[in-house]
Structures are given as C-alpha cells and as structure tokens.
Amino acid sequence: MTVPQRQGLMFVLSSPSGAGKTTLSRRLLERQTNTSPEAAPMVMSVSITTRPKRPGEVEGRDYFFVSPEDYGIMVAQGALLEHAEVFGYGYGTPRAFVNEHLTRGVDVLFDIDWQGTRQLAAASRDDLVSVFILPPSLGELERRLRARAQDSDEVVARRMDKAAHEISHWQEYDYVLVNDDLDATLSRIEHILEVERLRRARQSWLRKFIENSLNA
Ligand code: ADP
Ligand code: 5GP
C-alpha cells in the first residue's frame, strides 16, 4: 500500500494568559515527537514578538524577539501569516515555516490569540482545528499567573483585566476545554488531534487508494 499522504493541519491552542496553553503545547509536542521519533508529525510555530523576553525564555524556542521596526518590516512584506497586537506588543506567525511544513504533511501547532485564530480561519478554514482552553475559575487563573512568577504584579493585574474579554471569544473555537487537571486536558487534546487527522477531507490519498487498489 502507498504511504498515506495528507496536507498538515493547523492546530491552534488559545486561552486567556495563565490558563495553561504553553504548558499544554510543550507536553503535546513532547509526546508527539516521542511516539514517532523518525519523523516528527507535529512542529510548533514559533512566533515573533516585540515584547521583552521573560526570565527563562529562550530566543527561537519561545519566540523570536524582534524590534518594533523589524516587526513593521515583516508585516509590510507579507512575511506573517497572521499578526495582532496583544497587551500593547506586536505578535505574528512567520508564514514560510508554516507553509513549508503543511505542504510536507506535518501538522503545525500554534499558541496564538483569538485575533490570529480568526485570521487563520479566514485564510484557510479547512486546514484549521482550534481549541480554547478555559481556567477552572478566575481565582485559579490569577493563582497560576502568580505561580508562574514571570510577571510583575502590574502585568498580572493587566492580564487579569483582559481575561474576561479573551474568554468572550470562546464560541469562535471548534473545541472548548476546562484545564482543571493537566493530564486529563492533555489527553483530551490528543484525542481531538487524533480524530481530526482522520477526517475524510484531509485524506487526499484515499481516492487513489480506492481507485487503484479497491476497484477490483
Ligand atoms: P499560558 O501559556 O496560557 O499563559 P502557562 O502554560 O504558562 O499558561 O501556565 C501558567 C501557570 O499555570 C504555569 O505555572 C503552569 O505550570 C500552571 N498550570 C498550567 N496548567 C495547570 C493545571 N492544569 N493545574 C495547575 N497548574 C497549571
Ligand atoms: P505571552 O506574551 O503571554 O507569551 O502571549 C500573550 C498572548 O499573545 C497569548 O494569548 C498568546 O497566545 C498570544 N500570541 C503569541 N504569539 C502570537 C502570534 O503569533 N499571533 C497572535 N495573534 N497571538 C499570539
């Protein structure tokens, strides 16, 4: 039998800041790579941002940290698949990396906000699977933001102020999960990914397989 071929899908995780999407993305990616070490079936899209680096963040792993000038140039050149202003800083997804992997049948994981998700949906709805992560409560969201210990009190307060607005976009997503227990949420995300990969519309190899091998 020929090797099944399909176009990669764009898998988006969004949430109010602190609900756990970075933790979930890392765990998902680790597990995806562990199960198929010979060919990673999923890669993370690393965004560019004009925001300052947080303690512990690594250039090229967490973000590509760029100046507002370079950000403006990339926007003007159309080098970003989507871009948006979040908390007063510019964020965007480099287009070439995503397209190259999707074409090769590799899924791409995004940690982007609702504005970016909307832009991806407008550009390529059929290739998009979007998941919105909710915290169990606002109290727990604040606890997580403080526990992460990467932001000042002022930044935490600003992120809490924005949480309700971000949560208001939950209905624009294909799936909505409450991230109470981390392992349970991860497992649900893996199930969503598994069945979305199997959708008929993504199995471009099927027609040939049926015509050539099953039409005896
Ligand atoms: P986000 O990327 O959405 O801003 P993070 O992944 O940085 O959020 O998570 C914020 C903090 O909450 C981190 O310290 C992380 O370890 C913690 N966290 C994430 N998910 C859970 C969970 N299900 N239960 C408890 N703590 C969690
Ligand atoms: P943080 O500064 O906490 O890393 O991210 C702040 C917000 O920006 C999060 O909601 C995150 O999902 C979003 N974000 C990160 N990268 C991008 C991007 O490339 N595009 C868009 N639209 N949002 C992004």
Side-chain angles (χ1 to χ4, degrees):
M1 195 183 119
T2 48
V3 179
Q5 288 292 329
R6 64 172 175 84
Q7 158 99 350
L9 55 82
M10 303 192 289
F11 198 74
V12 170
L13 293 183
S14 297
S15 77
S17 185
K21 66 193 167 310
T22 306
T23 311
L24 288 161
S25 306
R26 288 221 185 115
R27 293 271 303 271
L28 177 65
L29 218 53
E30 264 168 37
R31 286 172 55 93
Q32 287 289 310
T33 317
N34 281 346
T35 49
S36 288
E38 70 286 354
M42 176 171 255
V43 291
M44 181 92 206
S45 164
V46 179
S47 298
I48 63 163
T49 182
T50 62
R51 112 162 135 62
K53 202 190 274 184
R54 291 192 193 123
E57 284 188 327
V58 176
E59 165 80 20
R61 182 194 71 175
D62 300 292
Y63 284 103
F64 295 105
F65 296 91
V66 299
S67 64
E69 292 71 29
D70 286 347
Y71 177 79
I73 290 171
M74 290 183 82
V75 171
Q77 287 178 338
L80 302 177
L81 186 57
E82 61 74 36
H83 62 96
E85 191 176 304
V86 188
F87 305 121
Y89 295 108
Y91 291 81
T93 300
R95 184 191 295 277
F97 176 88
V98 175
N99 286 346
E100 182 197 309
H101 284 88
L102 293 182
T103 311
R104 284 179 19 216
V106 177
D107 300 327
V108 182
L109 178 61
F110 297 79
D111 169 345
I112 60 174
D113 81 335
W114 61 272
Q115 303 175 83
T117 309
R118 257 192 199 175
Q119 292 172 48
L120 294 190
S124 197
R125 183 68 189 93
D126 290 347
D127 295 331
L128 177 70
V129 179
S130 61
V131 182
F132 197 80
I133 309 291
L134 290 171
S137 67
L138 287 180
E140 173 63 12
L141 183 67
E142 184 160 359
R143 195 197 67 72
R144 286 183 193 173
L145 280 171
R146 294 193 184 285
R148 189 165 69 184
Q150 284 180 328
D151 295 310
S152 64
D153 284 355
E154 188 205 327
V155 171
V156 168
R158 200 142 34 93
R159 286 174 183 244
M160 284 304 295
D161 279 349
K162 294 264 180 163
H165 178 63
E166 289 173 46
I167 290 170
S168 73
H169 291 279
W170 65 278
Q171 291 179 88
E172 296 173 31
Y173 285 75
D174 298 322
Y175 301 90
V176 179
L177 302 175
V178 178
N179 179 22
D180 194 344
D181 178 82
L182 189 66
D183 289 333
T185 309
L186 183 62
S187 165
R188 291 193 176 113
I189 290 173
E190 287 179 323
H191 283 115
I192 292 168
L193 181 58
E194 196 176 340
V195 296
E196 287 286 352
R197 281 173 169 162
L198 290 172
R199 270 185 187 274
R200 174 177 51 74
R202 298 193 211 290
Q203 310 294 328
S204 46
W205 63 284
L206 260 180
R207 179 178 298 279
K208 256 204 184 113
F209 170 66
I210 289 168
E211 284 171 3
N212 295 345
S213 309
L214 299 180
N215 266 348

